[in-house]
Amino acid sequence: MNIEIEANDLKDRQKTLHEVINNLIEKLPEESATRKQLANHLELFDDAVSYLSNSDQRLAFIGNVGTGKTTAICHLLGLLHGDEPILSTGSGRTTLCEVEIAAGSQLRVEVTPHTEAELKSYLSDFAQYLHASDIAEADNSESFKLSAEVERALRNMLNLRISRTKNPEGKRITTDSAKNFAADYQSIESLTDVLMERIDFPSRHQTLFTNDTELDQNQWLHSTFKAINSCTYPSVGLPKHIRILVPVRLFEHINYALSVIDTKGVDQTVNRADLDGCLTDNRTVSVLCCRFNEAPDKTMTGLLKLAKDAGLSQRVAKETVLLILDRESEAEKVIDIDEPVGDKIEGREIRAEQVVNDLKHTLQFDNLDVQFFDVKSDDPKQLRKLLAEKVSVLRGQYAQDIFDIEKAISDIETELVSQSARAAKNQVKNTLEAWIKKAQGCSPSLKEYFLPLVNDIKNKGTYAASVRASVNRRGEWHNLDYYQLLAAGSREQVVDQIGTLKDEFIVLIDNMLSQNELQPAYALLKQLKQTTEKRLGDIYQKAFAKGRAVYENNLSSDNQFWNDLFKQWGKGPGYKARVSGNSETWFHTRKYPEFESSVTRQVAEEWGLYVNEVRDMLGYA
């Protein structure tokens, strides 16, 4: 489905529909079910117009550190310097932050740097790592370590690198200038302050780069990106986001703006705010990447589970692509019965079937879109076309909504005097009566949704370094974000409690849509389905936002709590367990039911409004 409507046409059709609906509403009594349907149609129509009026769409590539997604993106978009990917600067752990690539009028790189406070937090982490006495106190299993890409960036900014030489006997000698520098400072605080002074933050103000040299554009972009990403430019801060505008058409045969996002590689948890944002954003198609022999890997499965827990099951097939990055001969070596298939296409088909069956069994997902890409041998044009078509279909659904609603309004004008339409709608009403009663009896209630956070802190897959980094930032760290986990925990409970009812409702609607005798009520049935997807999606995201908000101010501003957690480092084994235990105690002493009751009230109220809206549209008294 690839339907596009011109912007001027959108406005004209919106104006016309408003006039028609308003005229119809004026003729109907206040309590009329048709009047409720018309008001709902108007809202859904305006939503579709708003979506299509914005031409910005995104492809977000997500995958493990070292999976090869950056290399795949470069080959996909033709960002190559010779045979080398322009944005790749090594193997694994090279991308410092999220990178966005979009078409522009001229080649330029825009950098959004970390704030001074954020940079100081990173330097505090680095000081922690360098502080010899602190490291000695921590046991080996929980020793503090920065991510390789961040450590490399900070060392370059500070000009405190590691040098390696050999003595006359040929033995390798490693000299860490940063550790030597740190030896003169007795505390983490004093070391952090002097590192901050050495980095000279006020001079690092450049955020825009253009090619004012005689270098070839690709060569300039390669060297400029490498310098920004590794922080060897003295005028640039620590990047939080890099946006690259290239003066070429990235995707053919589309009339909207499609940018590509290279997300920061996953190295611990998929429950990150940036990844959650990609999955829940209806303008983003998420491209979940993994290696051929590992598919579906833990990250891919975790991301799909995160989407399911967010109530996105109905959207996953439409807004997600599973991209398996294979290498030479991997597909040919796939075993079929008892020997390798020896054929690339057949091997890929078998692997795709295995991946789909695995995810269907573990997560009950069906109709997943699996694609393959070998950067060495595959023509990127085909994958470019497939990905662009995925986005076009997404936009096409909103265009189709406009056509469907226009037809529905026309049908309503006819149905007002149609006996068959009234009969069909009465049958729909009778079929849904039992569900309505069940929905009215449902009372969503949240309880202890902080427990996933508490468990994640002590989880064996969570690094002590991430816990320490989160504590340093009062709970806000991408690999262990107190507030993201609270928000996700709240949303997941709501999805668990009302998601089953939603699924039952959709099944009932789909069954009625397959009955020919109910054709006069098809527009109403589609409207009920679309309204349900919208309202429940809103409820889930409101639970997510409220679940975070009720705790955030109290938690982040509790100086004593964070100071106590800060002191847990260096007390020997069990650091994560101590932080987890102290965090759980905080929720109990702050009387968590009082916080969670406000989330429950909002969810219950929103759910009640939705059920009443369905009742009104069906004409219940």
Side-chain angles (χ1 to χ4, degrees), residues 319-380:
E319 300 176 24
T320 308
V321 175
L322 309 185
L323 182 60
I324 300 176
L325 302 172
D326 53 345
R327 300 174 184 178
E328 186 178 3
S329 300
E330 283 183 324
E332 290 90 324
K333 293 176 182 176
V334 168
I335 302 296
D336 183 25
I337 305 178
D338 59 356
E339 61 182 21
V341 294
D343 180 80
K344 182 176 183 178
I345 294 175
E346 187 177 353
R348 284 180 168 183
E349 288 175 351
I350 293 172
R351 197 76 185 95
E353 186 178 340
Q354 291 170 345
V355 170
V356 169
N357 287 339
D358 189 339
L359 294 172
K360 186 174 182 178
H361 175 72
T362 57
L363 294 172
Q364 292 73 57
F365 275 123
D366 212 348
N367 301 317
L368 293 172
D369 187 355
V370 181
Q371 301 294 335
F372 294 83
F373 188 48
D374 180 349
V375 298
K376 297 292 186 182
S377 60
D378 288 343
D379 185 349

Side-chain angles (χ1 to χ4, degrees), residues 468 563-572 574-575 578-579 582:
R468 175 64 177 177
N563 287 337
D564 287 345
L565 290 190
F566 189 85
K567 294 173 184 176
Q568 298 307 313
W569 184 264
K571 289 186 176 180
Y575 169 68
R578 291 193 296 274
V579 172
N582 286 7

Side-chain angles (χ1 to χ4, degrees), residues 521-591:
Y522 278 6
L524 173 60
L525 289 167
K526 290 178 181 178
Q527 182 181 14
L528 288 168
K529 185 175 181 178
Q530 191 174 357
T531 299
T532 296
E533 293 290 356
K534 176 177 172 56
R535 296 289 183 252
L536 266 65
D538 289 345
I539 290 173
Y540 297 154
Q541 287 309 104
K542 286 177 180 178
F544 179 86
K546 184 76 170 180
R548 173 181 180 131
V550 295
Y551 281 122
E552 187 168 18
N553 288 338
N554 288 278
L555 184 57
S556 64
S557 63
D558 193 331
N559 295 328
Q560 182 176 345
F561 170 69
W562 295 111
N563 287 337
D564 287 345
L565 290 190
F566 189 85
K567 294 173 184 176
Q568 298 307 313
W569 184 264
K571 289 186 176 180
Y575 169 68
K576 293 195 299 181
R578 291 193 296 274
V579 172
S580 175
N582 286 7
S583 297
E584 184 171 9
T585 298
W586 186 92
F587 289 100
H588 284 284
T589 56
R590 294 306 184 280
K591 300 179 180 178

Side-chain angles (χ1 to χ4, degrees), residues 41 70 103 106-107 124 222-223 234 330 334 356-357 414 416 446 463 494 535 551 557 591 612 619:
H41 274 310
T70 302
Q106 69 171 126
L107 181 63
S124 177
H222 178 71
S223 60
E330 283 183 324
V334 168
V356 169
N357 287 339
T414 305
L416 290 175
L446 284 83
Y463 300 158
V494 174
R535 296 289 183 252
Y551 281 122
S557 63
K591 300 179 180 178
N612 286 336

